[in-house]
Amino acid sequence: MSKLEHSSAELPLTLASVLIEAKRWVVMTGSGVSAESGVPTFRDAQSGLWAQYEPQQLATPEAFESNPEIVWQWYQWRRKLIRKTTPNAAHTVLARLQRLKPELILVTQNVDGLHQRAGSTEVIEFHGCIERNKCFGCEKRGPKSDSSYPPTCNTCNGLMRPDVVWFGENIPTAALTASSDAVNACDVFFSVGTSSLVYPATALAKMALSRKATTIEINPNSTPLSTRMDFTLQGPAGLWLPVIASLFDKNS
Ligand code: BV8
């Protein structure tokens, strides 16, 4: 265990003082933050019908082109599952921290919308949002649908698809620019609940590591970036984020 790894939930004093002083925080979250709400992480085994598929096989434009119904139904299944979940302590604490630190910028790889439901604002949706639909052809946004077949676009008659970034697709320019600018200017960078395997999201963490920002990883498991972080807080986001927020309690 490197000297900066912490599994018992108390913050190193050096980190506490940095967090109290720092104004510009960037927090990047991955599916581990939604795990405690019951949303399976991306690398969790799929359940039921989907057990035979790898998410990375379904979350691609090629999969949608070759089998639009299967891909659409996978998203309908995920949407139904997500709608039954509620934000957990990690989401609500991040929304509170954003009120305490108005320059905190939240970038999420998650498409579940739980940060917004917990009250976070101006969330940078790096991989889009599962609740929105857009046309596979002309990209025009369309209404929600509970159909088990992809609806057709009322402009170009193309098939509607979820407004998420699939493997092999570019990150929306606005999200990429906003998050890169935020990382370039930040004092502290948190990587929370991500395996740091997906690019270019992981490139944001690497950008923070190459600057003089203080870098913190929160994850029960280690990732390829753990040993490079200034602090690795081993454990669930729902444990560590309330500890961090308690630094700003009135009586603390
Ligand atoms: C692109 C939306 C240009 C869809 C998602 C460079 C090197 C290597 C590969 C590439 C590269 N550049 C591009 C690639 C290819 C690819 C990629 O990264 N592949 C990887 C898998 C090797 N990237 C792309 O294709 C990206 N596009 O680069 O465009 C381009 C253009 C054309 C051709 C080539 C390149 C687009 C990637 C976006 C894919 N879309 N989601 C959908 O959701 O359906 S990504 C998907 O993975 C989810 O968004 C998820 O959030 C994300 C990342 O995974 P994690 O969030 O980290 O989740 P994971 O399950 O892996 O880990 C969970 C973690 O949580 C674990 O570490 C666990 O320990 C931890 N945890 C568990 N419980 C808790 C917890 N942590 C805290 N608290 C807990 N309680």
Side-chain angles (χ1 to χ4, degrees), residues 29-88:
T29 61
S31 57
V33 159
S34 297
E36 292 165 74
S37 294
V39 181
T41 66
F42 222 67
R43 277 155 193 80
D44 272 349
Q46 304 281 347
S47 60
L49 171 65
W50 309 107
Q52 61 202 306
Y53 297 103
E54 271 294 307
Q56 274 164 241
Q57 284 172 320
L58 290 171
T60 68
E62 294 77 17
F64 187 75
E65 282 187 298
S66 59
N67 203 329
E69 279 104 56
I70 281 276
V71 174
W72 174 264
Q73 285 157 15
W74 181 51
Y75 282 92
Q76 294 294 65
W77 171 74
R78 286 173 65 189
R79 283 165 171 159
K80 266 203 198 89
L81 185 148
I82 287 166
R83 284 178 197 140
K84 288 189 206 128
T85 66
T86 50
N88 65 65

Side-chain angles (χ1 to χ4, degrees), residues 31 36 43 75 78 109 165 168-169 194-195 199 219 221 237:
S31 57
E36 292 165 74
R43 277 155 193 80
Y75 282 92
R78 286 173 65 189
Q109 298 175 75
V165 180
E169 292 186 322
T194 177
S195 58
Y199 282 79
N219 196 318
N221 303 306

Side-chain angles (χ1 to χ4, degrees), residues 11-241:
L11 288 178
L13 285 180
T14 42
L15 176 57
S17 55
V18 165
L19 295 180
I20 288 166
E21 290 311 313
K23 290 199 174 1
R24 292 170 301 190
W25 294 24
V26 169
V27 180
M28 179 172 76
T29 61
S31 57
V33 159
S34 297
E36 292 165 74
S37 294
V39 181
T41 66
F42 222 67
R43 277 155 193 80
D44 272 349
Q46 304 281 347
S47 60
L49 171 65
W50 309 107
Q52 61 202 306
Y53 297 103
E54 271 294 307
Q56 274 164 241
Q57 284 172 320
L58 290 171
T60 68
E62 294 77 17
F64 187 75
E65 282 187 298
S66 59
N67 203 329
E69 279 104 56
I70 281 276
V71 174
W72 174 264
Q73 285 157 15
W74 181 51
Y75 282 92
Q76 294 294 65
W77 171 74
R78 286 173 65 189
R79 283 165 171 159
K80 266 203 198 89
L81 185 148
I82 287 166
R83 284 178 197 140
K84 288 189 206 128
T85 66
T86 50
N88 65 65
H91 298 108
T92 46
V93 163
L94 282 170
R96 177 175 172 239
L97 282 168
Q98 202 174 28
R99 291 189 291 274
L100 290 164
K101 295 274 181 180
E103 292 184 60
L104 185 153
I105 293 177
L106 179 57
V107 184
T108 188
Q109 298 175 75
N110 302 338
V111 297
D112 55 35
L114 285 174
H115 284 304
Q116 291 91 328
R117 283 172 54 193
S120 284
T121 55
E122 293 168 68
V123 179
I124 299 177
E125 297 175 325
F126 208 69
H127 293 152
C129 179
I130 201 167
E131 278 303 337
R132 289 193 303 264
N133 286 318
K134 69 178 182 182
C135 174
F136 188 71
C138 68
E139 300 228 317
K140 188 165 170 273
R141 290 214 171 139
K144 289 183 184 173
S145 153
D146 53 12
S147 146
S148 42
Y149 294 94
T152 47
C153 168
N154 54 22
T155 305
C156 76
N157 223 20
L159 288 180
M160 298 310 280
R161 54 163 283 182
D163 185 14
V164 297
V165 180
W166 279 333
F167 288 97
E169 292 186 322
N170 288 316
I171 305 303
T173 313
L176 196 57
T177 310
S179 38
S180 312
D181 292 351
V183 173
N184 268 323
C186 74
D187 305 314
V188 292
F189 178 89
F190 283 87
S191 173
V192 189
T194 177
S195 58
S196 298
L197 294 173
V198 172
Y199 282 79
T202 302
L204 292 176
K206 289 191 163 177
M207 202 193 287
L209 288 165
S210 68
R211 292 190 53 248
K212 58 186 188 319
T214 300
T215 52
I216 306 108
E217 180 181 75
I218 298 177
N219 196 318
N221 303 306
S222 60
T223 77
L225 301 186
S226 300
T227 52
R228 297 177 52 190
M229 293 282 171
D230 294 316
F231 298 92
T232 47
L233 305 178
Q234 253 188 329
L239 169 79
W240 279 111
L241 287 171

